[in-house]
């Protein structure tokens, strides 16, 4: 088992989710049960899957949960692009969050490769 709170990947994911929540709070109320809900749930799944995987007994299981978190990153970015296209998000905000999401992808991939070398 890994101590998820000590993982830089998990810490960065928590920071990113907090930023995403702040951004979606500015979206129109009509999106409360649509994009806002979808983006927030998908973003929360990123650190949640990292934590769940870290609590598993085997590195192979951890890699599986990291791959789920990896996919959630793509999901969130797609939804944010849609939000920008609808005028709910400024280009510079999308760029800033996309940079954070890309950093998470790199960190996740690196950790997956490290864990795979253990089995």
């Amino acid at each position: 088992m890994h101590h998820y709170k000590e993982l830089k990947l998990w810490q960065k994911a928590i920071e990113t989710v907090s930023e995403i929540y702040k951004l979606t709070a500015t979206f129109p109320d009509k999106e409360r049960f649509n994009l806002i809900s979808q983006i927030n749930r998908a973003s929360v799944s990123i650190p949640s899957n990292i934590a769940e995987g870290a609590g598993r007994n085997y590195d192979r299981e951890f890699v599986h949960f990291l791959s789920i978190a990896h996919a959630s990153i793509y999901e969130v970015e797609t939804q944010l692009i849609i939000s920008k296209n609808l005028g709910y998000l400024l280009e510079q905000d999308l760029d800033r969050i996309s940079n954070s999401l890309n950093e998470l992808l790199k960190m996740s991939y690196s950790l997956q490769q490290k864990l795979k070398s253990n089995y």
Side-chain angles (χ1 to χ4, degrees):
M1 273 190 345
H2 303 268
H3 300 285
Y4 69 94
K5 291 181 185 176
E6 295 174 10
L7 293 171
K8 289 181 183 178
L9 172 62
W10 180 84
Q11 294 167 4
K12 176 71 175 172
I14 291 292
E15 289 174 18
T16 304
V17 170
S18 299
E19 286 300 313
I20 289 169
Y21 262 76
K22 289 175 189 172
L23 285 175
T24 59
T26 67
F27 286 17
D29 284 341
K30 69 180 182 176
E31 291 296 344
R32 174 167 281 123
F33 301 109
N34 297 315
L35 274 173
I36 294 170
S37 176
Q38 187 67 24
I39 292 168
N40 288 346
R41 282 185 288 118
S43 67
V44 165
S45 77
I46 299 166
S48 299
N49 277 294
I50 294 165
E52 185 172 354
R56 297 297 172 137
N57 291 325
Y58 302 102
D59 286 343
R60 186 177 304 272
E61 293 174 298
F62 193 3
V63 168
H64 172 73
F65 281 92
L66 288 172
S67 72
I68 294 169
H70 203 96
S72 293
I73 293 168
Y74 286 120
E75 179 182 359
V76 169
E77 187 169 36
T78 297
Q79 293 159 357
L80 290 173
I81 290 167
I82 292 166
S83 299
K84 198 257 324 161
N85 290 347
L86 293 172
Y88 304 153
L89 194 59
L90 298 173
E91 184 78 37
Q92 64 260 26
D93 290 328
L94 175 60
D95 289 345
R96 183 171 41 82
I97 294 298
S98 288
N99 287 337
S100 291
L101 293 170
N102 285 327
E103 188 176 342
L104 288 173
L105 286 170
K106 291 175 187 173
M107 294 169 77
S108 173
Y109 179 78
S110 178
L111 182 55
Q112 287 180 57
Q113 295 307 108
K114 181 181 176 194
L115 292 168
K116 286 178 181 179
S117 72
N118 292 338
Y119 57 81

